[in-house]
Amino acid sequence: MLTGMFSRPENFRMYWKEFMKQCVDIGIGSLGIVAVISTFLGAVTTVQTAYQLTSSLIPKSTIAMVVRDTMIIELAPTLICIVLGGVVGSKIASELGNMRISEQIDAQEIMGINTKAYLIGPKILAALLTIPALVVIAAFLGIFGGLEAGKLSGILSHEQFMEGLRGQFDGYNVFFALSKSYTYAFIISSVPAYYGYHVQGGALEIGKASTTAVVVSCVMILFADYALAAILL
């Protein structure tokens, strides 16, 4: 399926229009749920880390370091992309499945359009552009949520949190998080596209294809999480 995508666009303007539409659907359409989840993930991480660090010998600024590294390395890329795998993946699979069942894809192929390039290519490119951006936003909002949770619950002040946030920062963690986000973005867009594009039957089969696509995407994300950690760390 992926090799069939590489061909010269029949109409570059139409491909660009479809690409921008997918950027809006995948990126801006998922921004709300990403913001809510990441903010509360950071807040919960702050509270739970403070609960586990019971020793008075450990400075409270350590909590901010744990929140920062946890959000950047694992929570922002992995958990957010698992959520996006359900939100975006089911949408892609059901959209392509409905077009296949209603014979819209067959009609476009009769018109001489490369449907793999026109329908699947912009989705994958849009995911590769917008999902890493969502991961960066999620990491920022998670750290902000941890900052506010620490202040509101009286665990540590803003000054203590900022001190830990700046301490012992390793820029390689950001590279690792972005590597994970690009890998997950490809999985989230390509796997549901495959199941939706090749669905056969009726409405029941579209639902099964969407469910299967989400499950397979989540499993592949977790497998890729382990593989990237073993390779890059």
Side-chain angles (χ1 to χ4, degrees), residues 1 84-97 120 123-124 127 184-199 206 209-218 220-221:
M1 183 192 72
L84 292 177
V87 176
V88 176
S90 60
K91 178 183 180 301
I92 292 176
S94 59
E95 177 184 343
L96 291 175
I120 299 175
K123 290 178 173 58
I124 295 178
Y184 300 160
F186 178 76
I187 294 173
I188 290 170
S189 55
S190 61
V191 173
Y194 173 81
Y195 282 97
Y197 188 84
H198 293 95
V199 69
I206 294 177
S210 299
T211 303
T212 304
V214 172
V215 172
V216 173
S217 297
C218 292
M220 290 187 66
I221 286 174

Side-chain angles (χ1 to χ4, degrees), residues 63-79:
I63 298 174
M65 297 172 59
V66 173
V67 173
R68 178 199 66 198
D69 292 339
T70 304
M71 285 300 304
I72 293 177
I73 294 176
E74 188 63 25
L75 294 183
T78 304
L79 286 186

Side-chain angles (χ1 to χ4, degrees), residues 2-228:
L2 294 176
T3 56
M5 289 170 39
F6 295 97
S7 65
R8 185 176 180 179
E10 295 85 3
N11 187 330
F12 183 80
R13 182 176 298 178
M14 294 298 296
Y15 277 65
W16 176 257
K17 183 178 179 181
E18 180 67 16
F19 169 72
M20 296 305 296
K21 177 180 178 296
Q22 295 302 324
C23 287
V24 172
D25 291 343
I26 296 174
I28 299 178
S30 305
L31 184 59
I33 188 171
V34 168
V36 172
I37 292 175
S38 58
T39 302
F40 281 97
L41 278 176
V44 170
T45 304
T46 296
V47 175
Q48 292 184 350
T49 304
Y51 171 74
Q52 294 174 357
L53 295 179
T54 56
S55 175
S56 58
L57 298 178
I58 301 176
K60 290 187 176 181
S61 59
T62 306
I63 298 174
M65 297 172 59
V66 173
V67 173
R68 178 199 66 198
D69 292 339
T70 304
M71 285 300 304
I72 293 177
I73 294 176
E74 188 63 25
L75 294 183
T78 304
L79 286 186
I80 293 301
C81 285
I82 287 178
V83 172
L84 292 177
V87 176
V88 176
S90 60
K91 178 183 180 301
I92 292 176
S94 59
E95 177 184 343
L96 291 175
N98 183 61
M99 294 184 68
R100 172 64 73 183
I101 298 303
S102 60
E103 299 182 350
Q104 296 181 46
I105 295 179
D106 297 331
Q108 291 182 4
E109 290 178 345
I110 292 174
M111 295 167 59
I113 298 174
N114 184 352
T115 54
K116 292 185 179 69
Y118 178 66
L119 298 177
I120 299 175
K123 290 178 173 58
I124 295 178
L125 293 177
L128 290 173
L129 176 65
T130 57
I131 290 180
L134 289 175
V135 169
V136 172
I137 294 173
F140 173 80
L141 291 177
I143 295 173
F144 175 76
L147 170 68
E148 293 302 321
K151 176 64 176 180
L152 294 176
S153 58
I155 296 174
L156 73 171
S157 64
H158 282 181
E159 290 76 15
Q160 291 173 319
F161 193 96
M162 294 303 296
E163 178 185 354
L165 193 62
R166 292 190 295 264
Q168 300 180 14
F169 175 71
D170 187 0
Y172 182 78
N173 293 339
V174 178
F175 169 78
F176 179 58
L178 290 177
S179 299
K180 293 169 70 171
S181 64
Y182 278 106
T183 304
Y184 300 160
F186 178 76
I187 294 173
I188 290 170
S189 55
S190 61
V191 173
Y194 173 81
Y195 282 97
Y197 188 84
H198 293 95
V199 69
Q200 293 180 348
L204 182 61
E205 283 71 21
I206 294 177
K208 290 181 179 179
S210 299
T211 303
T212 304
V214 172
V215 172
V216 173
S217 297
C218 292
V219 172
M220 290 187 66
I221 286 174
L222 294 175
F223 176 78
D225 186 20
Y226 170 76
L228 289 172

